Amino acid sequence: MTTTPLDNWEADQLKESLSERVKGGFGAFWVSGSRPVEPPPVIPIALTGGIPDADALPIDQLVEVSNRVLRESGPEALRYGGHQGSLALREWLAEHTSGREGLELTANNFTLTNGISGGLVNVAETFLNEGDIGLAESPTFPGGVGAFQNCLCEVGGVPMDEHGILPDELEAAIKRYEDDGKRVKVLYTVPNFQNPTGYSMALDRRHAVVDICHRHKVLIAEDDAYGDIRFEGERLPSLFALARGNGVVYLGSFSKTMATGLRVGWTLAAEPVIDALLQTRFDLGGSPWMHKVIHEFASAGLLEKHLETVNEIYHRKRDAMLSALDERCSRYATWNRPEGGYFLWLTLAETVDSKALAEAARRHGVAYVGGYAFHRDGGGHNAVRLAYSFVKEDEIPEAITRLGRALEEAADGATG
Amino acid sequence: MTTTPLDNWEADQLKESLSERVKGGFGAFWVSGSRPVEPPPVIPIALTGGIPDADALPIDQLVEVSNRVLRESGPEALRYGGHQGSLALREWLAEHTSGREGLELTANNFTLTNGISGGLVNVAETFLNEGDIGLAESPTFPGGVGAFQNCLCEVGGVPMDEHGILPDELEAAIKRYEDDGKRVKVLYTVPNFQNPTGYSMALDRRHAVVDICHRHKVLIAEDDAYGDIRFEGERLPSLFALARGNGVVYLGSFSKTMATGLRVGWTLAAEPVIDALLQTRFDLGGSPWMHKVIHEFASAGLLEKHLETVNEIYHRKRDAMLSALDERCSRYATWNRPEGGYFLWLTLAETVDSKALAEAARRHGVAYVGGYAFHRDGGGHNAVRLAYSFVKEDEIPEAITRLGRALEEAADGATG
């Protein structure tokens, strides 16, 4: 059969037809990230991806559980499951979360989402009007900011340190916007092992943040993607628990505990808020097949066992990375020692030129994400995110050796 | 562990915090649809769901294919796949669609979406600003309208008949809005076996619609969920093919051909449009596991074979429904004879009171969707959507017998 090429849209028509969202370019960083780039000279060891250890993925168990789901309840697994998602999985979440946080929760306090990212889109559409203000830690996960900006909102950054967002800075930012006659609607925060820094919010700050947001009627969108990846210390209560749900939407996920490719997360909120969240959903919900697989996996105790396994792995990987950094990089950077999560945050010494570092790292074959990717204001060039979750444990020393060489050259270049 | 109840959000704060989208209540019909209702006195035979035959779901093949995907490429299947989705599946779509429509297409002309519903949300966000106008056939699939309204747009209905949307009415509607100084941005249409009517757009109307929309710079969002469910006659070229892609986004899905619970559909458009569509995605994409399962299924020829099987089933079911209707309902209604798809559309005789029919159908144990559910303007009470796709073939005569009794009573009631 002969085929004919597509006609081009008239460029003017296309441009004129696009929404203000596209014209704002808020999602451009995702699109450009998916484009092919020139391959590097050395196959790099990647410290980039915030994704689970590939060798520890519970593939055998998923095969078994998935087969059972399809064999025993195929027709239900393969039809629409509704916007709120699997009742059984929401009931499991209610029981599990009630016990952990000391709250009375039911399945009606949950909706299932396309990962936390899908949940953030849903929260944004449910609460944000054009011109509203969102706030987020600086640095932060850019997808959260993008979801807010996509509702034609401005997102302001609030400084943080190793103990989380700075409450005084938060309140000052809210007041600045209020003085300008603007409405701060939502604070986006990742209080446990934050992406990108790995920093966690201290208990006194959690209380202060809840108090400030409550007084200023700012909704908190609490992203807890990493809270279950804890291999040291004790879990702190969520902001949701401290506020007893008042003014907080908590977002959780099976992405970092099981697999990012399942695309299943959840929101937890008071029932009237859940009802509101459902009113801006038009995607006909996630896959009941995936929901049922996760429910079978979790309710059989496999998730808990899997977490024990992977948390040991992440513990060893973090330690391997810390000791390699001590040995190779201490002249050129400082970093934190997170009790969990996937990430370390390197703050570069003033002697290190970040562009020279990027170039040298590419040459030596180690990949990381530059801190600027997590700032929307042009900052963050003096920092680097290192993920220890995905890299093979036995490649960590070599990766950090390469990084050390790159740092040395970047520092020499800057000072020489 | 003791648990404490959640605090209620202050009602005023919640109300004040919600976006205009929620206040518009555009999604209320989905939410209310998911709430439990009083059980009916007789277990009804359901002619409601636009979902595939449950007995024909390819469960054994999905088990086999899914196991192969997880065993052979588990780590890739279980990690993020990006907003555009599986390259392999998009390549299959490009090859398959190029051959069918006579167009030169590549994987870059496609994005994978959370079913067509997810695609419609994406199209809406990419093209619609607050105050823009959307148009749709009347009656139409309410989810499409909801996705447009959720961008704070008005959606006008354009009358249709058995041969699809009426071109003169379409152009008149566009001109009315233009005369009011409003911008008609998008036409939403389901040209093949439309939901809810089962009507298909005739070839001359396809040409006319493309021409009208091109002249008025109205983008066409062409929803082809049912085009592959054809058991008689010949497929007509898509609006996308007639326009050679200019000004049209085509939306396809594996929901009706394979299973709605997979939650995988796609958009097909010119590359600059695909790039724009990707800029309003923040959900981190669908599940690569599901994408790979579908790719394996389709590229092994199983989808084609499956379609042959199910189209025979739907053919028989349609025939069973038509002959039962002839026998039981011809005094009270008229209906169409679709060459494919899932639905028949009954237009009730003037003697039939629609409320009395709903009540009698509930009593006699047959469930359908009232036509009003597909009109946003309060119309459609004189019509009923019957789905033959999901009901068991051997239950169709009894279902229609019950419907006939209900019609008889509703006509008696109205005239007596």
Side-chain angles (χ1 to χ4, degrees):
Chain A
M1 176 169 194
T2 53
T3 56
T4 54
L6 296 184
D7 282 351
N8 289 324
W9 286 38
E10 287 161 33
D12 283 353
Q13 183 191 345
L14 176 58
K15 195 173 167 192
E16 189 271 334
S17 296
L18 294 172
S19 71
E20 296 301 320
R21 293 180 187 87
V22 180
K23 292 176 187 167
F26 314 121
F29 63 99
W30 286 139
V31 177
S32 63
S34 68
R35 289 285 179 271
V37 291
E38 203 189 327
V42 180
I43 294 175
I45 302 175
L47 306 176
T48 43
I51 56 178
D53 185 288
D55 296 329
L57 288 167
I59 289 175
D60 289 344
Q61 293 168 328
L62 288 176
V63 166
E64 192 188 318
V65 167
S66 173
N67 289 352
R68 196 160 65 235
V69 164
L70 288 179
R71 297 271 185 222
E72 291 177 9
S73 55
E76 278 172 49
L78 294 170
R79 81 175 61 138
Y80 294 122
H83 286 125
Q84 197 161 4
S86 158
L87 178 61
L89 183 53
R90 289 186 286 116
E91 283 173 342
W92 182 85
L93 283 167
E95 192 186 333
H96 178 77
T97 315
S98 294
R100 191 183 72 200
E101 303 274 4
L103 296 170
E104 286 172 18
L105 303 171
T106 76
N108 294 336
N109 293 114
F110 293 84
T111 66
L112 304 184
T113 59
N114 199 74
I116 286 179
S117 293
L120 288 169
V121 170
N122 188 207
V123 165
E125 299 220 326
T126 303
F127 289 101
L128 296 177
N129 290 315
E130 182 173 352
D132 282 343
I133 306 297
L135 294 175
E137 290 140 354
S138 182
T140 190
F141 169 57
V145 174
F148 287 12
Q149 288 177 319
N150 197 43
C151 291
L152 304 177
C153 294
E154 181 185 333
V155 181
V158 179
M160 69 186 301
D161 65 17
E162 271 198 57
H163 306 292
I165 199 168
L166 299 169
D168 290 348
E169 296 276 357
L170 171 63
E171 187 147 27
I174 295 170
K175 283 184 176 161
R176 273 197 307 276
Y177 282 111
E178 285 176 350
D179 289 348
D180 280 358
K182 292 180 176 170
R183 171 80 169 90
V184 180
K185 223 33 162 338
V186 181
L187 168 68
Y188 171 60
T189 177
V190 187
N192 292 321
F193 314 127
Q194 195 230 21
N195 180 5
T197 58
Y199 297 164
S200 290
M201 199 187 294
L203 184 60
D204 59 332
R205 294 213 184 157
R206 292 176 190 234
H207 281 288
V209 166
V210 166
D211 175 61
I212 291 164
C213 288
H214 194 73
R215 279 190 283 108
H216 292 272
K217 299 191 185 303
V218 175
L219 167 75
I220 298 171
E222 177 179 19
D223 172 347
D224 194 20
Y226 302 95
D228 284 332
I229 309 296
R230 174 179 281 283
F231 35 77
E232 281 179 353
E234 292 296 320
R235 179 191 275 272
L236 292 176
S238 64
L239 305 182
F240 184 84
L242 293 179
R244 299 221 308 209
N246 187 357
V248 185
V249 177
Y250 173 103
L251 300 108
S253 179
F254 297 101
S255 286
K256 311 296 175 168
T257 56
M258 288 180 66
T260 54
L262 301 170
R263 308 308 305 121
V264 180
W266 66 90
T267 64
L268 158 61
E271 277 194 53
V273 178
I274 294 293
D275 283 356
L277 288 167
L278 290 172
Q279 291 216 29
T280 61
R281 289 284 297 276
F282 292 90
D283 60 1
L284 292 186
S287 168
W289 180 2
M290 295 295 96
H291 294 176
K292 283 174 181 286
V293 163
I294 294 169
H295 174 250
E296 291 268 320
F297 189 83
S299 62
L302 296 174
L303 177 56
E304 200 180 337
K305 278 186 197 159
H306 179 65
L307 277 170
E308 285 173 20
T309 305
V310 292
N311 280 339
E312 279 178 27
I313 293 171
Y314 298 134
H315 195 165
R316 289 202 309 269
K317 286 184 172 185
R318 183 210 61 174
D319 286 348
M321 192 171 278
L322 286 176
S323 72
L325 284 168
D326 279 338
E327 199 174 327
R328 302 284 180 179
C329 303
S330 54
R331 284 182 58 196
Y332 311 107
T334 57
W335 51 85
N336 53 321
R337 186 179 189 284
E339 296 179 336
Y342 280 8
F343 307 114
L344 289 177
W345 188 245
L346 260 61
T347 305
L348 306 177
E350 284 184 16
T351 51
V352 178
D353 179 77
S354 65
K355 281 191 184 164
L357 178 62
E359 201 281 317
R362 187 176 144 86
R363 228 176 332 101
H364 286 291
V366 59
Y368 58 79
V369 184
Y372 64 88
F374 307 99
H375 285 75
R376 312 316 293 163
D377 59 2
H381 285 278
N382 69 331
V384 156
R385 186 188 82 174
L386 301 183
Y388 49 80
S389 57
F390 182 70
V391 61
K392 287 181 190 298
E393 190 180 342
D394 60 10
E395 290 188 335
I396 290 175
E398 173 63 18
I400 300 301
T401 299
R402 293 179 185 185
L403 181 66
R405 279 189 210 120
L407 281 164
E408 190 176 353
E409 288 179 23
D412 285 352
T415 54
Chain B
M1 178 168 191
T2 53
T3 56
T4 55
L6 296 183
D7 282 352
N8 289 323
W9 286 38
E10 288 159 33
D12 283 354
Q13 184 191 344
L14 176 58
K15 195 174 167 192
E16 189 270 334
S17 296
L18 293 173
S19 72
E20 295 301 321
R21 295 180 185 86
V22 179
K23 291 176 187 167
F26 314 121
F29 63 98
W30 286 139
V31 178
S32 63
S34 68
R35 287 287 177 271
V37 292
E38 205 188 326
V42 180
I43 293 174
I45 303 174
L47 306 176
T48 42
I51 56 178
D53 186 287
D55 296 330
L57 289 167
I59 289 175
D60 289 343
Q61 292 167 328
L62 287 176
V63 166
E64 192 188 318
V65 167
S66 173
N67 288 351
R68 195 161 64 235
V69 163
L70 288 180
R71 297 269 185 225
E72 291 178 7
S73 54
E76 277 172 49
L78 293 171
R79 78 176 63 138
Y80 295 121
H83 287 125
Q84 198 162 2
S86 157
L87 177 63
L89 183 52
R90 289 186 286 116
E91 283 173 343
W92 181 86
L93 283 166
E95 192 185 333
H96 178 77
T97 314
S98 294
R100 191 184 73 201
E101 305 274 4
L103 296 169
E104 285 171 19
L105 302 171
T106 75
N108 294 336
N109 292 115
F110 292 84
T111 64
L112 303 184
T113 59
N114 198 73
I116 286 179
S117 293
L120 288 169
V121 169
N122 189 208
V123 166
E125 300 220 326
T126 302
F127 290 99
L128 295 177
N129 291 316
E130 181 172 354
D132 282 344
I133 305 296
L135 294 174
E137 289 141 356
S138 181
T140 190
F141 168 57
V145 175
F148 288 12
Q149 290 176 318
N150 196 44
C151 291
L152 304 177
C153 295
E154 183 184 332
V155 181
V158 180
M160 68 185 303
D161 65 16
E162 272 199 56
H163 306 291
I165 198 166
L166 299 169
D168 290 348
E169 296 276 357
L170 172 63
E171 185 145 30
I174 294 171
K175 282 183 177 162
R176 273 198 306 277
Y177 282 112
E178 286 176 350
D179 289 347
D180 279 358
K182 291 179 176 170
R183 171 79 170 91
V184 181
K185 220 43 160 334
V186 181
L187 169 67
Y188 171 61
T189 177
V190 187
N192 291 322
F193 315 126
Q194 193 230 22
N195 180 7
T197 60
Y199 298 163
S200 290
M201 199 186 293
L203 184 60
D204 59 334
R205 295 214 185 156
R206 292 177 191 234
H207 281 288
V209 166
V210 166
D211 175 61
I212 291 164
C213 288
H214 194 73
R215 279 191 284 106
H216 292 272
K217 299 191 187 302
V218 175
L219 167 76
I220 299 172
E222 177 178 21
D223 172 348
D224 193 19
Y226 302 96
D228 283 330
I229 310 296
R230 174 179 281 282
F231 35 77
E232 280 180 355
E234 292 295 322
R235 178 191 276 270
L236 294 175
S238 63
L239 306 181
F240 184 85
L242 293 179
R244 298 220 309 209
N246 187 357
V248 185
V249 177
Y250 173 101
L251 299 108
S253 179
F254 297 101
S255 286
K256 312 295 176 168
T257 56
M258 288 180 67
T260 54
L262 300 171
R263 309 309 305 121
V264 181
W266 67 90
T267 65
L268 158 61
E271 276 194 53
V273 178
I274 294 292
D275 283 354
L277 287 166
L278 290 172
Q279 290 216 30
T280 63
R281 291 282 298 275
F282 293 90
D283 60 2
L284 292 187
S287 168
W289 180 2
M290 295 294 95
H291 294 176
K292 282 175 181 285
V293 163
I294 294 170
H295 174 250
E296 290 268 320
F297 189 84
S299 62
L302 297 175
L303 177 57
E304 201 179 337
K305 280 187 195 157
H306 180 66
L307 277 170
E308 285 174 20
T309 305
V310 292
N311 280 339
E312 280 179 26
I313 293 171
Y314 298 135
H315 196 168
R316 291 202 308 270
K317 286 184 174 186
R318 184 211 61 174
D319 286 348
M321 192 171 278
L322 286 175
S323 72
L325 284 167
D326 279 338
E327 198 173 325
R328 302 285 180 178
C329 304
S330 54
R331 285 182 57 195
Y332 311 108
T334 57
W335 52 85
N336 53 322
R337 188 182 189 284
E339 296 179 336
Y342 281 7
F343 308 114
L344 289 178
W345 188 246
L346 260 60
T347 305
L348 306 177
E350 285 185 13
T351 52
V352 178
D353 179 77
S354 65
K355 280 191 184 163
L357 179 62
E359 200 281 318
R362 185 176 146 88
R363 229 178 328 104
H364 286 291
V366 59
Y368 57 79
V369 185
Y372 64 88
F374 307 100
H375 286 76
R376 311 316 294 161
D377 58 1
H381 286 278
N382 71 330
V384 156
R385 187 189 80 174
L386 300 183
Y388 50 80
S389 57
F390 182 70
V391 62
K392 287 180 189 298
E393 189 180 343
D394 60 10
E395 289 189 335
I396 290 175
E398 173 63 17
I400 300 300
T401 299
R402 293 179 185 185
L403 181 66
R405 282 190 209 120
L407 282 163
E408 192 176 352
E409 289 180 21
D412 285 352
T415 55

